[in-house]
Amino acid sequence: MDKRYVGRWQRVSGTEIIDIFDEEPPRMKLSFPENGYYNYPPNKCYFNAGRFCYEINDEYYRMVYSLIYEDGRLRGHYTQFGIETEIAFELCDAVPRDEPHNRADSGRLSGRRLHRSAARKNCVQRPRVLENVMAQVSSVAADQIKSLPDLTSAVDV
């Protein structure tokens, strides 16, 4: 394990926090304070080609993060719905916190209501993301159709 990655890191342009532990295989926990999620392990955590990677998968989305230590920060991107978004984290503590996971409002909502509430939050943003993906796909398809030869000249009518 590269010791430079160990610690508690906060996203530069957000509140997301990651705790990376000095263990083999790599282990980490994620916190999303704006959504009330704290200390959750990702589905997968590993090094690939010198980059620290982790994956979040659930029924609504899949995100793959790829980070590298550079100039005292973790820099890289995450991929969601085929779109890469740049991301950077700053070290806020050299010692990662290993606390149990929790949901800030789990005492107020049942599991089923909590799931529906989270689904509604995700659905609000999803149409914009899918719209952007569909626009990219449509643009590529239009370019490919334009490049096809004119087949009407080869057919006797």
Side-chain angles (χ1 to χ4, degrees):
M1 174 76 177
D2 187 335
K3 307 286 189 226
R4 297 178 301 175
Y5 289 84
V6 175
R8 184 173 183 85
W9 300 84
Q10 182 167 357
R11 186 172 171 176
V12 173
S13 62
T15 61
E16 181 178 345
I17 297 170
I18 59 176
D19 289 286
I20 303 174
F21 302 93
D22 185 13
E23 298 180 12
E24 285 295 335
R27 184 173 72 91
M28 69 173 297
K29 289 188 175 182
L30 307 157
S31 295
F32 298 94
E34 71 275 8
N35 295 331
Y37 287 97
Y38 297 92
N39 309 310
Y40 282 83
N43 296 87
K44 213 180 216 187
C45 174
Y46 53 93
F47 276 92
N48 182 17
R51 298 180 77 84
F52 182 74
C53 303
Y54 59 97
E55 299 178 17
I56 304 171
N57 301 295
D58 76 6
E59 62 186 284
Y60 298 107
Y61 59 88
R62 176 172 190 252
M63 295 174 73
V64 179
Y65 289 75
S66 178
L67 305 170
I68 192 161
Y69 184 87
E70 189 177 86
D71 298 327
R73 287 184 169 182
L74 295 182
R75 298 177 191 267
H77 65 273
Y78 67 86
T79 305
Q80 182 180 26
F81 302 120
I83 299 170
E84 283 188 2
T85 303
E86 295 297 317
I87 192 168
F89 291 88
E90 289 183 330
L91 187 66
C92 55
D93 194 341
V95 179
R97 296 186 192 156
D98 196 6
E99 298 171 0
H101 69 269
N102 67 67
R103 172 90 170 125
D105 63 357
S106 61
R108 290 181 278 165
L109 294 175
S110 69
R112 188 174 196 177
R113 287 177 53 216
L114 181 62
H115 173 73
R116 275 192 245 143
S117 172
R120 273 190 230 106
K121 287 178 188 173
N122 288 334
C123 288
V124 170
Q125 187 176 20
R126 187 175 312 165
R128 276 187 264 125
V129 173
L130 289 178
E131 184 178 292
N132 293 341
V133 171
M134 290 307 296
Q136 290 175 359
V137 169
S138 297
S139 173
V140 170
D143 290 344
Q144 289 177 347
I145 290 170
K146 288 177 189 173
S147 68
L148 290 173
D150 184 6
L151 299 177
T152 58
S153 62
V155 178
D156 290 331
V157 181

